[in-house]
Amino acid sequence: MFRLLAAAAILACAAPAAAAPLTFAFTGIETPKGAILMSVYDSEEAFDRGGKPLVSQMVAVAGTSVEIVADLPPGRYAVKAFHDIDGDGKMGTNPFGIPLEPFAFSNDAVGDMGPAKWTAAAFDFDAATPRHAIKIR
Amino acid sequence: MLNRRTFLSHAGLATAALAIPEALRAGSGPADWRLALADVPGDIATRRLRRVHGRAPAALKGTLYRNGPARFRRGGSASGHWFDGDGMIRAWEIDDGDARLAARFVDTPKRRLEEARGAMVVPGFGTPAGPDVPVSSSDDTNAANTSVMMAGGKLLALWEAGSATEVDPRTLATLGQKSFSPELKHMPFLAHPRIEPDGRIWNLGLSGRSALVWRLSASGALEASQIVPLPRASYMHDFTATARHLVIVLQPWLQDRMGLPYVDSLTWRPERGTQVMVIDKADLTRSRIFELPAFAFFHLGDAWEEADGTIRFDGCLEADPSFGSTAARAMVAGVHIDTPHPALTMIALHPGGRATLTSSGIMAEFPRCDPRQAGLPRTRTVHVGGYIKGAPFAHAVGVWDWAKERDDAYDFGARQLVEEFVPHDRWLVGTTINLDARATELHVLDAANVARGPLVTWRANVALPYGFHGNFVSA
């Protein structure tokens, strides 16, 4: 019995760590070409200070919306994405670093003359919320 | 080098203005200068002006285009600064002795968002951001409210922290924000380009310790652009140029942190002095720095070079930036704060590296020079002045002559607020707000005899708020 409970406990702990599909639904795409490049972060430190994302994915754009599915364990995440219209793999900027290609953050968070912060962009992912909508602008 | 005659004449004017008994101002509150920051509800359809006095010179034909903020309040909220109102282009057309006015707001993303929200929410020079205002570049906050320039058949409404906005010069309809090339979209473009007598246009766009130097053809096409590092992150509204050099004045009003509104990111550090950076137009990597005592400023006159290499230019220099940092904020709320008036001052940069300041002895703003002599030796500077205590805005227009040390000025009196006058051919053309008539007036003066007063005055049937800058375009 003790062993069974222990095994159940291990399963209970392990279950949340199992990855599940989270669908990011991007809308508001105005130029039907290129690709959406998306980076998912799981820490404030990495998101706010230019650290490495947990996962990055790219999906080609054909219409005004795309969906990107990422397999993630339930947890707290934030996303940075941009529309790579010219297909050079980089977010186009002017000489002062102002974005020249459309971009967005999770929660449709907006920045204050800079990228949105983790506190505004972070959201919880679990089995009950398998979809996150983001408007590119 | 305070000139005694000038000093006495200005003291006399000031005394006369102050001597007007309060009783004579009955029915006009002491703060009726607030008309200069009243809201204009919508566009002003073309209308003929009533001629009040004099006759228009037969040869004067064209349009004085002016820009300035004309909407400051919405739904109980207000702009946090005079510089943040919505830009309205005014076209004052003179033709065959008649004059007409049309005025139209520049249709900016800022104005559209604020119309939709029914509140002033877009951050600006001195206005904090409202909730959930998307700002992906400064062009989302572009008020397009500072000046105008004609290039390539299009009128450009100029601001300073973002793009110019194209406007149809005939209908004043907004055509959209201007990108001189796709890679330079959203790059700032100051409201005070320096234009050589042959039409070539130089301008700057600023971000912290970097300047983009713009070079455009006379028709407004991009010829070249280059990033130039600056020695400090200084607030800059204007720069100047000689035929061969760009002259960049770096006041010690320094951006030492990020944040909005912009003016709150600036700190006045007089102990750092003012620096002047001189850049070779033919090779933007070649520059020199000159050191001067601390002063604040918004506007400079055209610069020129002498045979020994000395560079001279004048500017309207303030003891500190408190007008921009405090008084111009309070004005929107109808509150006047006395701050140091700008003094017209000559700056000389000597070949040995020494730099000197020489005051004219007069208080002046909106310096303008004959565009035919831009970058070349000159003696005359058109300006406004005639300030009185206890209220903002100028009451006189004048031409200061640096060779004769004499000001040829006309004072419109305490009941007229004098806006910028521009030199065009033999004349000065400009506007005033008549506080008694509660109407804006258009005037033409003889540039060689300003003291005689207007050759002709027309009056509109509407008062427009006090504007910033304009240019005369010949028909």
Side-chain angles (χ1 to χ4, degrees):
Chain A
M1 183 66 182
F2 176 75
R3 289 173 68 113
L4 197 62
L5 276 177
I10 288 163
L11 275 177
C13 288
L22 169 55
T23 301
F24 293 95
F26 290 93
T27 59
I29 295 167
E30 287 179 357
T31 310
K33 64 174 193 174
I36 299 293
L37 272 69
M38 173 191 83
S39 293
V40 182
Y41 295 80
D42 62 354
S43 82
E44 180 168 359
E45 170 70 20
F47 191 82
D48 286 354
R49 308 227 173 122
K52 280 183 76 132
L54 179 70
V55 57
S56 289
Q57 285 181 241
M58 179 171 90
V59 168
V61 167
T64 58
S65 63
V66 300
E67 293 192 348
I68 304 180
V69 182
D71 284 318
L72 297 169
R76 195 157 177 78
Y77 299 100
V79 165
K80 298 178 182 180
F82 75 97
H83 183 183
D84 184 23
I85 294 172
D86 61 11
D88 68 352
K90 297 182 297 200
M91 167 125 102
T93 63
N94 75 15
F96 286 168
I98 300 301
L100 296 182
E101 290 179 309
F103 61 92
F105 304 94
S106 41
N107 295 340
D108 288 335
V110 295
D112 178 9
M113 293 302 278
K117 297 286 189 228
W118 170 269
T119 49
F123 64 96
D124 289 316
F125 165 53
D126 57 43
T129 55
R131 197 176 166 83
H132 190 95
I134 298 177
K135 192 171 178 347
I136 289 271
R137 57 186 172 194
Chain B
M1 68 172 260
L2 188 71
N3 180 290
R4 188 173 161 77
R5 236 172 96 194
T6 308
F7 176 78
L8 287 177
S9 74
H10 274 262
L13 290 173
T15 309
L18 287 171
I20 296 170
E22 271 310 305
L24 288 182
R25 306 187 189 201
S28 53
D32 54 3
W33 59 263
R34 289 169 183 165
L35 186 59
L37 281 93
D39 288 332
V40 178
D43 296 339
I44 305 283
T46 305
R47 64 204 54 202
R48 210 177 146 207
L49 305 183
R50 184 167 74 78
R51 191 161 51 85
V52 176
H53 154 87
R55 262 176 61 186
L60 181 60
K61 197 172 164 171
T63 304
L64 173 68
Y65 289 103
R66 287 181 46 73
N67 197 350
R71 182 74 188 262
F72 303 93
R73 302 162 196 88
R74 276 194 177 88
S77 62
S79 297
H81 201 287
W82 183 31
F83 299 172
D84 292 334
D86 289 341
M88 177 174 235
I89 309 287
R90 296 89 153 150
W92 300 92
E93 187 189 355
I94 299 172
D95 182 17
D96 200 21
D98 267 347
R100 281 182 293 275
L101 164 69
R104 204 157 168 181
F105 281 103
V106 187
D107 183 17
T108 58
K110 161 183 154 49
R111 184 171 163 82
R112 284 185 180 197
L113 183 80
E114 290 180 332
E115 288 263 346
R117 298 263 184 107
M120 304 303 277
V121 292
V122 175
F125 186 86
T127 304
D132 294 324
V133 175
V135 178
S136 59
S137 82
S138 59
D139 275 336
D140 289 330
T141 72
N142 193 330
N145 66 2
T146 313
S147 189
V148 291
M149 171 178 82
M150 193 69 145
K154 294 287 192 321
L155 195 62
L156 295 176
L158 305 179
W159 192 48
E160 70 187 25
S163 302
T165 304
E166 273 190 336
V167 170
D168 183 318
R170 200 175 48 82
T171 64
L172 304 183
T174 299
L175 304 173
Q177 290 178 341
K178 171 83 180 169
S179 298
F180 290 97
S181 81
E183 310 77 46
L184 297 176
K185 199 176 178 189
H186 301 314
M187 287 296 283
F189 191 87
L190 286 188
H192 290 282
R194 291 287 158 182
I195 303 176
E196 295 177 353
D198 70 359
R200 172 172 283 162
I201 299 157
W202 293 85
N203 204 2
L204 302 180
L206 296 155
S207 174
R209 291 173 52 159
S210 294
L212 180 82
V213 176
W214 298 92
R215 201 182 88 205
L216 311 178
S217 70
S219 62
L222 181 66
E223 288 184 342
S225 67
Q226 188 174 327
I227 296 283
V228 172
L230 303 176
R232 50 169 65 168
S234 171
Y235 172 69
M236 200 185 311
H237 175 77
D238 192 6
F239 72 108
T240 188
T242 72
R244 290 177 41 216
H245 292 98
L246 305 177
V247 180
I248 298 176
V249 179
L250 300 151
Q251 62 187 321
W253 198 18
L254 304 176
Q255 187 175 30
D256 53 10
R257 57 197 178 277
M258 295 305 284
L260 291 169
Y262 175 78
V263 69
D264 288 344
S265 70
L266 301 171
T267 306
W268 176 240
R269 299 201 177 278
E271 73 283 1
R272 303 272 304 270
T274 292
Q275 294 180 313
V276 183
M277 186 179 190
V278 175
I279 300 176
D280 187 343
K281 283 180 173 176
D283 178 356
L284 300 183
T285 65
R286 289 165 55 100
S287 67
R288 296 181 70 185
I289 304 278
F290 295 82
E291 305 281 345
L292 279 166
F295 59 80
F297 80 105
F298 284 100
H299 301 116
L300 305 172
D302 285 327
W304 72 92
E305 255 161 285
E306 294 173 347
D308 69 351
T310 301
I311 291 174
R312 289 185 197 276
F313 60 99
D314 47 10
C316 298
L317 312 189
E318 299 167 346
D320 62 52
S322 54
F323 175 76
S325 64
T326 60
R329 291 180 125 158
M331 279 163 71
V332 182
V335 174
H336 172 69
I337 299 173
D338 262 322
T339 51
H341 286 305
L344 183 66
T345 305
M346 180 64 73
I347 298 168
L349 310 175
H350 300 280
R354 198 168 57 93
T356 54
L357 297 174
T358 308
S359 176
S360 65
I362 65 166
M363 299 299 156
E365 247 300 0
F366 297 148
R368 295 297 302 251
C369 311
D370 188 329
R372 296 168 296 196
Q373 293 172 298
L376 305 174
R378 63 176 178 86
T379 59
R380 291 151 59 86
T381 304
V382 179
H383 65 86
V384 303
Y387 296 99
I388 55 180
K389 224 177 150 45
F393 302 114
H395 296 276
V397 58
V399 176
W400 172 261
D401 189 318
W402 283 102
K404 296 177 182 156
E405 295 187 4
R406 194 178 74 87
D407 198 35
D408 175 17
Y410 178 74
D411 197 308
F412 283 87
R415 303 298 299 158
Q416 293 255 24
L417 308 180
V418 175
E419 301 180 90
E420 182 191 69
F421 272 70
V422 302
H424 173 72
D425 198 352
R426 287 163 282 161
W427 303 289
L428 308 181
V429 186
T431 49
T432 63
I433 304 171
N434 184 323
L435 296 178
D436 290 323
R438 297 186 71 81
T440 299
E441 294 180 351
L442 173 68
H443 311 274
V444 178
L445 285 87
D446 178 352
N449 187 358
V450 178
R452 173 181 160 187
L455 301 174
V456 61
T457 294
W458 292 276
R459 185 177 296 162
N461 60 353
V462 61
L464 295 174
Y466 194 93
F468 293 140
H469 306 286
N471 279 302
F472 192 89
V473 178
S474 289

